[in-house]
Each structure stands twice: as structure tokens, then as C-alpha cells.
Amino acid sequence: MADATAGDGIAPEENRSASGLLLSADGTPLKNSIARAERRARIRAFLLILPLLAFVMVSFIAPIADMLFRSVENDIVADTLPRTVVELQDWDPASGVPGEPVFEAFYADMLDATEAKIHTRLGSRLNYEESGMSSLFRKTNARRLGRIDDTQPLAPQFEKIDEDWATVEPWAILKTFSARYTPGYFLQAADMKLTPEGVESVDETQQIYIKLFWRTIILSLTITCSCLLLGYPVAWLLANLPMKSANILMILVLLPFWTSLLVRTSAWKVLLQEQGVINDILVWIGLVNDGARLVLINNQIGTVIAMTHILLPFMILPLYSVMKTIPPSYLRAAKSMGANDWVAFWRVYFPQSIPGIGAGAILVFILAIGYYITPELVGGTSGTFISNRIAFHISTSLNWGLAAALGSLLLILVMGLYWLYDKIVGIDNVKLG
Amino acid sequence: MTESSDAFVEFERVQKSYDGETLVVKDLNLNIGKGEFLTMLGPSGSGKTTCLMMLAGFETATHGDIRLDGKPINSVPPHKRGIGMVFQNYALFPHMTVAENLAFPLEVRKMGKADIEAKVKRALDMVQMGAFGGRRPAQLSGGQQQRVAVARALVFDPELVLMDEPLGALDKQLREQMQFEIKHIHEELGVTVVYVTHDQSEALTMSDRIAVFNDGKIQQLAPPPTLYEKPDNSFVAQFIGENNTLDATVDSVDGRFARVRFNDGTLSRALAVNCGGPGSQTRLSLRPERVEFDANVEPDEEGVTGLVKELIYLGDHIRVRMEVLGNRDFVVKVPNGAEVSELRVGETAGLTWRAEDCRALDAA
């Protein structure tokens, strides 16, 4: 062997190419040899993760990409009314109702659309921007269009179908939303709207999303804090009790995981309502007047109580696993040096448990900010989250574009908070065990 | 030094039980003088660490009094005892630098900033770690961490320092070096040290006195030479240093010496230390280096014959493993010389010793 001396601790002769690259024994560059030698291992590793990768791509990455796309996509106007969109390009809403060429193009487009029965779909899409558009397009149906005589001027005949066609508004909306990509959904999600004159805030009475986002963040923070306050002592007990008692306590901590989320949330309804267990007990021991029972459910208090309960294990477990690694000798050392119990805890134990707090807090906060079922069941109107609104737009109002925009904003918000968290706490300081 | 009048630390009739069924420490009486280096030595589970923890205040004595400088401390919480402590795994706070670790005991004592800095620097210099104040414990080697731990236990000038197997995690060479360093620091500062270890050579090197623990009791409390050369019972003889044992029956006791009879009927003489009267069983203890080969052993002398089983060459001396009176692990250390060349595996050889070196102990 060329480098038989290597084993004797003497530096082996190194083969080097002209350019200074290290060469292996047969003269190929060393880096290539490593790549070839480890290719099999890498292929095998890749094959092992392939099923999961495919699953994640199909079930997670693709839907998210689709959702992000839907929040700006707006093909429907340009696809349904291609000629009208072209004609409207040169039209200025300030100059009044558009001229005859626009009506001709619109008539032709609508004939095709009504034949394909897609004109009502366009109507409901435009109704998200301006109410009344849906019924306007439903009225402009195949039967009424059939009565139009295309040798006569079209504008008055459209006015006969619905007098709105003789006003500027529907045309202005058509022009504003004729682009294939629109910021409209995002603006809506931020309580603003796109008008022919530009971007403006919606009526104060109709602003709900910004308020909902704020409420979601603040309630999630409250839930995270109360989870920390309740979970920290429990985690400490878990980490410091003798094995046998700690196991029993651990089972109690994990017990909620074994019960259905719906059952647990419904149990809170029973406990928290005005004629419920908690109020009854408070009245019975005289803390609360029977006439002034506490309102604990269908508001923010209900959401905070129920979600704190549900998310508590996600705080306790990371805290526990970090505390388990802190040897009791640190506290003893601190005490032997003259620190009383509180100083020993605050200056020695607590700083070392921060990675657990970080992990638990981020886990609970991110779970809370996207939570849906519990706020829906116990939150009433004042305790619902942004995710409840997203669900409403997906399943009830069918405004998927807005739902997608709200979802994207939530995603951006969480990522932004994560970045902030990394800046302040440092993600390296997060430890799950 | 052992008089209770000037004892600095006193254990008086101390008992400790964790479960109320068995006593981990049974009736402990121990006086430690000011400035003394006392080692508690014993196998694991012998109660030595429990004693240390009771002194530090992390365990409460089930019964009895512990006094520090004359004052009972049973109900004083650990942080008010003012005792420095070095832990087995160092227990340096990982989120603080070395200097912050050392400053901690001074800060909780509300000392001024300038004072703290001066004291920290002095303590670090004492253990030759002056250049490492800004490092984190994780960036130090085991030996360096050990030094910092010692400095931290001493930085607030305690009069008593407890060390719980502080060198257990170090490799042999470093351990020996640290033994001397700790010994020198002790001599320099005149601080009282109570040291717990299960390593007998560590105990022998460092201590003024050693308390050998077994089964919750102090088996013997004595300076190292006494402990090695004059063990009181067969546990101490076996636990400290290398030891050969031979079982025998006491035939008669004659002043300091006893005449003992081996199982094969051979008679021998031994120092009567802890054996009963005539007829009782005894165990003889013989250090390997106190046994000599003698070609012409006569019966009824201090001598027997044995079968050479193995010769182990160790350079300056040879270890000869023999079978003597049923003991297959009887070891004799012979200095490397002409005498050795006469030994052959499988042959019998005569052994003699001085009656003073053969101690008749309890049969345990």
C-alpha cells in the first residue's frame, strides 16, 4: 500500500494534483472519491425519507401553495368577459357610463357566458367587492338577453333589464377587478378595499379583520402566559418527585390527550355556563350573588380557560424534559454558597430552565394562534379567533379568496413573530429535551 | 485534637434513617478539630455521603446533635451555615462565566463590587486559573472545572469546606496532581476540610485522619499510617491497602500475643488485636510486603509453607501469588533480586513473618 506508514503515526505521503487538490491513491480527486464512496449511503437515506417527502408534498406543500395562489388569483372576470375587459381598458369612470362599443362587447360576452351558465358565478365573485352585483348578474340571464335586438342601440335595452347598467358603478367594478391578479382579497383581509379611485379603508362599522387579528394575538399570549404560570410548578414537581409519584403525575398530565378534544371542550361548557357547576358552587359558598352569576362562557374568558386547559400539556412536557436535565446539585451548590431558596431558584435554576420555557411558549402560542374548535364552541362572538372567520369563509360564505388571504396573513404573522422570537430569545435556546 | 473541648465539628450520637426501617447512619460520634483534613472513607452505601449531607444541611439528622464551633446546627438552613462545598460533578453554573460563578457567593452576601473583584481574582490565582475568568464552565477541561469548583467553595472564606468525591470524574494522573493541590491549599489556608471518597489511596495521601465507614458505622478513626499498619478489624485491614487473610482458631493468649492454630493443625504466633479468648475464631491479617521467603521454615515458628501459583513481573518487584492454607490468593511482594530466581511455579516455598506484623482480628 502506498501509505502503509500512516499507521505508525508518521505523516503519509500526500498525493496532490498540479492545482493542489488532494488525490486519492488511484489519482482521482479525493472529493470525488468521497462522493462516490458515500453515494450508496446517501441514496439509501433518500429512499427512506421518500414516502414521507411525497406525502408532505402532496398533502401539505401543494395545498399551501394553492392557498397562497388563490389569495391573489382573479381569472374569472377576464375569462368570462374577455371582450368587455379589452374595451373597458380605455374607459375612464369619470367620463360617465361607457359607450356603445363596451355594451356590444359585453352583450357578446354575456351571450357566451349565459350559454355556458357561468355568469352567476361571476356575479357572486363581484358581490364580494360590492353587494348587489350577484343579483344584477342573475337578472341579466339568457331569457332577458334573448329579447335584446342587436340592431338597435344596446345601452337602453340593458337599462331595461336592470337600471343599474345605466350607472357607472357596475362598470367601474368590472374595470377595477378585470386584472388577472388582484390585491383585493388581501386588502379586504386588512379591512381595506380597492375602488376605482384607489385603496381606501372600509367603513369603521364594517372593520373586523384587524380587530380579530389583534384579539387572536392577545388571547394567544394570554393563554401562553397562563399555561406557563400553571405549568411551571407542575413541571418542577414532575422533575423532582421520586420516580413513582412522578409517573402518576405524568399520567394525570397526559390524561387530557386520551380524551377527545370535543368532549373536553363540551365539559367546559357544562362547568362554565351561568347555571353550571362553577357558578353553582360559587353561589353556594356565597362568593357570588345568585342574581349576578359570572359570565364565564361564550366570551373571551371562556376561550382562555378552555384553551389553557387544552394546551397545558404542550407547556409542561418541554419544561419537564429540560428541568429533568438540571441536576439538583446546582440548587444545593447555590445554597451552600449562602443563597436562600428564592435566590437559588431565581439566579441558578430559572436561567437554566429558560430553554424549556422558550420551547413550551412557542409551541403553545403557535398552536393557540391557529386554534379553531375550542373558540368556536366556547368563545361566543367576542371570544372567536381569526381561524373561525377563515372557516366561515371557506364553508359558509364560500369566499375562498378571502379565506386564503386571511390564512396567508396568519402564516406571515406567525413567521414574523417567530423571527422576532429568534431575535429576542434565540431559537438555539429552545430545547425540547 | 480529638478532645471534644476544642472540636470544631462534632457529631454526637447522630442517627439517620430514610424509610424508618433501616438506619443508614448508626450512632455516629465524631469530633473534627479546627484546621484538620478529615476524610470519610468507605464503600458506596456505607453512610459517608449521608454524614456529609447532614453536615451541609441537605439532610436532617433523625436523631442526635451536630455542632459547628460549639453551636448546634440541626435547625440552621444550609445557606446560613457558611460551609463551602465542592460537589462530585463540580456543579458549576453553566449559564455563568467562571468569574460570575465565583462572584455568586459574594454577591448573595451583598459584598461591594470592588471587594468581589479582588476576592475572585485572588481565588482564581490560588488555583492557577487567573486567565480563565471570562470562560464558561463548558469551555474548560475536567481538571480546570475542578479547580474552579474548589476556588468557588473557598472564595467566601468559609472555615469549613466539604468535598464530596471531588476527584471522581478525573483520570488517574490528573487526580493525583489535584490531590496534592488540594492538600497544599488546605495547608496554606488552614481551613478545616471534610473530604468524602471511596478511593483509599486518595484518602491516605491527603488526610490528617481517616474515618473508615462501613455499614453506617465508623470502623476506625486514625491517621493514615496507623490505619494501614494497625487496622483494628478485618474490614479495615481488607479495605485499606493490599491484605492477606488466614483463618485460624485462638489456642491461647499470652500478653500481647496469641497462639493460633490453623485448620491443618499448624501453630503460629500473632499479635492479639481484636480476637476473642482461647477457642474463638480469628482472621489473621498480613501485608504482602511483610512476608518473606525462608527455605527452612520450622513448624511452630511464625511461618508456613505454600504452593507458588503465579509470578507477576512488575519491574522493581515481583508479585508472587501462592496457595497458603486454603487461601488461593495469598500474595507476597518480593523485591527484584537474587531470591526471586529460586522461585518456580508449582513448587512449594516456606514463608515467615514477624509476629508483630501478623494481626489477629475479628473473624467477621
Side-chain angles (χ1 to χ4, degrees):
Chain A
M1 256 176 75
D3 53 8
T5 53
D8 304 334
I10 302 163
E13 283 283 321
E14 281 179 349
N15 293 324
R16 277 188 187 276
S17 71
S19 56
L21 276 173
L22 266 180
L23 299 180
S24 60
D26 61 356
T28 54
L30 201 55
K31 287 197 170 159
N32 295 5
S33 303
I34 291 175
R36 199 174 39 223
E38 292 180 357
R39 187 176 301 147
R40 271 180 71 93
R42 261 183 290 136
I43 289 173
R44 192 160 45 198
F46 180 74
L47 284 177
L48 281 174
I49 63 154
L50 190 62
L52 178 63
L53 187 67
F55 176 74
V56 168
M57 286 303 282
V58 169
S59 68
F60 191 70
I61 307 285
I64 286 182
D66 183 58
M67 180 199 78
L68 291 173
F69 179 65
R70 254 173 211 279
S71 62
V72 291
E73 182 252 24
N74 188 41
D75 283 339
I76 189 163
V77 180
D79 283 351
T80 318
L81 308 171
R83 283 158 283 212
T84 322
V85 167
V86 174
E87 288 296 331
L88 278 173
Q89 260 167 15
D90 304 326
W91 172 68
D92 177 13
S95 62
V97 182
E100 199 61 15
V102 173
F103 277 97
E104 276 165 21
F106 184 64
Y107 176 62
D109 283 339
M110 281 305 277
L111 279 181
D112 292 346
T114 48
E115 197 178 344
K117 296 199 168 76
I118 54 173
H119 62 294
T120 52
R121 223 187 285 166
L122 176 64
S124 19
R125 159 71 186 97
L126 291 173
N127 205 54
Y128 299 146
E129 312 299 339
E130 185 70 50
S131 51
M133 290 299 275
S134 179
S135 59
L136 181 62
F137 271 87
R138 229 177 299 121
K139 249 178 158 178
T140 318
N141 54 21
R143 189 166 49 83
R144 292 208 171 91
L145 284 172
R147 283 198 220 121
I148 284 180
D149 178 3
D150 54 2
T151 56
Q152 304 294 316
L154 289 168
Q157 301 188 58
F158 267 98
E159 193 182 350
K160 230 183 273 167
I161 293 175
D162 194 307
E163 56 205 17
D164 278 355
W165 288 125
T167 60
V168 178
E169 279 79 36
W171 303 105
I173 285 164
L174 271 178
K175 182 178 163 71
T176 313
F177 290 93
S178 58
R180 286 189 175 270
Y181 296 100
T182 172
Y185 294 123
F186 275 104
L187 290 170
Q188 235 179 313
D191 284 336
M192 287 184 275
K193 65 179 174 187
L194 195 61
T195 61
E197 290 84 43
V199 177
E200 57 185 55
S201 311
V202 298
D203 251 22
E204 224 164 282
T205 51
Q206 289 176 8
Q207 289 182 2
I208 62 164
Y209 297 114
I210 296 287
K211 222 167 78 187
L212 260 180
F213 270 116
W214 270 120
R215 183 198 288 165
T216 307
I217 291 172
I218 286 164
L219 284 187
S220 298
L221 283 175
T222 313
I223 290 160
T224 310
C225 288
S226 48
C227 276
L228 181 61
L229 285 177
L230 295 174
Y232 198 94
V234 177
W236 190 86
L237 260 188
L238 265 176
N240 288 284
L241 277 179
M243 201 57 161
K244 217 172 158 188
S245 342
N247 277 341
I248 293 171
L249 191 58
M250 182 58 109
I251 289 171
L252 293 178
V253 168
L254 294 177
L255 204 59
F257 280 138
W258 304 345
T259 327
S260 151
L261 182 67
L262 278 171
V263 173
R264 274 181 285 154
T265 308
S266 311
W268 279 114
K269 287 190 111 142
V270 176
L271 288 171
L272 293 175
Q273 58 187 278
E274 269 183 64
Q275 301 300 322
V277 180
I278 289 175
N279 264 313
D280 280 351
I281 290 173
L282 288 177
V283 167
W284 184 65
I285 60 175
L287 269 177
V288 170
N289 199 319
D290 198 14
R293 285 171 176 252
L294 302 176
V295 186
L296 295 173
I297 201 162
N298 294 331
N299 58 12
Q300 304 192 352
I301 298 171
T303 305
V304 171
I305 291 177
M307 290 209 16
T308 301
H309 168 242
I310 282 157
L311 295 177
L312 204 49
F314 295 98
M315 179 64 86
I316 293 175
L317 292 177
L319 271 176
Y320 162 70
S321 64
V322 167
M323 286 179 178
K324 195 83 192 153
T325 63
I326 305 174
S329 63
Y330 285 133
L331 274 181
R332 289 185 160 183
K335 285 183 197 169
S336 80
M337 286 184 272
N340 61 30
D341 289 352
W342 168 250
V343 173
F345 166 76
W346 183 247
R347 294 222 28 216
V348 175
Y349 196 85
F350 182 77
Q352 295 186 62
S353 69
I354 282 178
I357 297 177
I362 203 163
L363 209 60
V364 169
F365 182 79
I366 286 179
L367 281 171
I369 208 168
Y371 230 71
Y372 157 69
I373 301 174
T374 305
E376 183 75 28
L377 291 176
V378 299
T381 47
S382 69
T384 49
F385 280 10
I386 193 70
S387 42
N388 300 100
R389 203 66 199 165
I390 296 175
F392 167 79
H393 283 306
I394 283 188
S395 57
T396 310
S397 83
L398 300 181
N399 188 351
W400 287 15
L402 180 57
L406 287 170
S408 306
L409 277 186
L410 188 61
L411 184 65
I412 291 164
L413 186 75
V414 169
M415 283 160 94
L417 288 169
Y418 185 82
W419 175 83
L420 201 68
Y421 186 89
D422 188 27
K423 283 278 145 195
I424 296 169
V425 182
I427 215 69
D428 303 340
N429 273 334
V430 167
K431 208 160 61 169
L432 283 169
Chain B
M1 193 134 67
T2 54
E3 297 300 313
S4 67
S5 53
D6 60 292
F8 184 54
V9 179
E10 275 176 276
F11 286 87
E12 194 186 321
R13 312 215 58 183
V14 172
Q15 292 184 316
K16 173 71 186 177
S17 174
Y18 287 106
D19 53 5
E21 284 165 18
T22 50
L23 282 169
V24 183
V25 175
K26 301 170 182 163
D27 196 28
L28 177 81
N29 293 289
L30 175 62
N31 292 331
I32 303 168
K34 205 170 178 99
E36 192 179 3
F37 195 120
L38 181 120
T39 299
M40 295 176 170
L41 174 68
S44 51
S46 60
K48 56 189 193 311
T49 301
T50 308
C51 285
L52 196 76
M53 290 301 167
M54 284 194 286
L55 185 52
F58 299 124
E59 301 286 357
T60 50
T62 314
H63 175 82
D65 281 324
I66 303 172
R67 279 189 288 274
L68 180 65
D69 212 3
K71 291 179 283 286
I73 53 169
N74 288 36
S75 54
V76 178
H79 68 271
K80 289 193 178 143
R81 295 193 180 191
I83 299 175
M85 187 151 182
V86 182
F87 289 82
Q88 195 168 8
N89 47 12
Y90 320 134
L92 296 176
F93 306 143
H95 58 292
M96 298 182 189
T97 63
V98 166
E100 284 166 349
N101 261 286
L102 263 73
F104 183 82
L106 307 175
E107 278 168 14
V108 298
R109 285 178 169 73
K110 309 250 187 300
M111 221 172 253
K113 228 176 181 161
D115 276 358
I116 291 180
E117 256 173 58
K119 273 180 176 279
V120 167
K121 189 178 168 341
R122 207 184 61 203
L124 281 178
D125 287 341
M126 179 181 69
V127 292
Q128 289 109 49
M129 291 289 293
F132 296 89
R135 298 246 192 126
R136 298 254 166 180
Q139 295 167 307
L140 302 179
S141 70
Q144 291 171 328
Q145 289 185 25
Q146 182 53 59
R147 289 206 175 110
V148 175
V150 170
R152 192 178 65 172
L154 291 165
V155 70
F156 58 100
D157 301 323
E159 289 189 81
L160 174 63
V161 177
L162 312 180
M163 301 193 182
D164 182 12
E165 308 211 9
L167 307 181
L170 301 181
D171 60 57
K172 193 166 176 289
Q173 212 175 351
L174 206 52
R175 199 157 62 214
E176 280 165 9
Q177 192 192 336
M178 284 304 296
Q179 285 169 11
F180 289 116
E181 281 189 34
I182 291 177
K183 185 72 192 151
H184 289 154
I185 288 171
H186 165 249
E187 281 161 5
E188 236 167 79
L189 301 179
V191 60
T192 311
V193 177
V194 179
Y195 192 101
V196 161
T197 183
H198 61 261
D199 180 341
Q200 42 130 333
S201 71
E202 204 169 291
L204 292 173
T205 332
M206 304 172 78
S207 322
D208 292 331
R209 283 195 302 162
I210 300 174
V212 181
F213 274 72
N214 189 41
D215 197 24
K217 277 189 292 216
I218 294 182
Q219 302 289 335
Q220 189 171 358
L221 172 64
T226 314
L227 214 53
Y228 182 78
E229 290 176 34
K230 294 172 183 159
D232 274 352
N233 55 43
S234 40
F235 174 81
V236 177
Q238 193 65 31
F239 193 73
I240 309 278
E242 228 181 329
N243 184 45
N244 292 314
T245 58
L246 293 172
D247 288 325
T249 320
V250 178
D251 198 55
S252 63
V253 180
D254 159 30
R256 287 171 61 221
F257 292 96
R259 184 156 290 277
V260 296
R261 185 184 296 279
F262 296 116
N263 295 341
D264 68 345
T266 322
L267 282 166
S268 183
R269 242 157 49 95
L271 197 63
V273 179
N274 192 12
C275 60
S280 54
Q281 284 291 314
T282 184
R283 180 165 281 178
L284 306 181
S285 154
L286 265 169
R287 297 294 180 194
E289 69 276 12
R290 298 291 168 92
V291 182
E292 280 172 20
F293 284 100
D294 188 343
N296 6 309
V297 175
E298 287 173 32
D300 217 21
E301 294 284 318
E302 287 77 43
V304 292
T305 55
L307 184 68
V308 179
K309 304 282 280 186
E310 197 177 5
L311 295 168
I312 301 156
Y313 182 78
L314 288 164
D316 61 334
H317 73 274
I318 316 287
R319 280 170 64 91
V320 187
R321 192 167 67 80
M322 304 184 66
E323 184 177 341
V324 177
L325 296 165
N327 181 352
R328 290 165 157 275
D329 283 311
F330 195 98
V331 173
V332 184
K333 274 189 196 169
V334 198
N336 197 352
E339 191 183 2
V340 179
S341 55
E342 293 164 20
L343 293 170
R344 296 277 179 278
V345 172
E347 288 181 4
T348 52
L351 298 166
T352 63
W353 54 78
R354 290 167 57 223
E356 288 83 9
D357 290 333
C358 178
R359 298 172 71 82
L361 305 171
D362 56 313

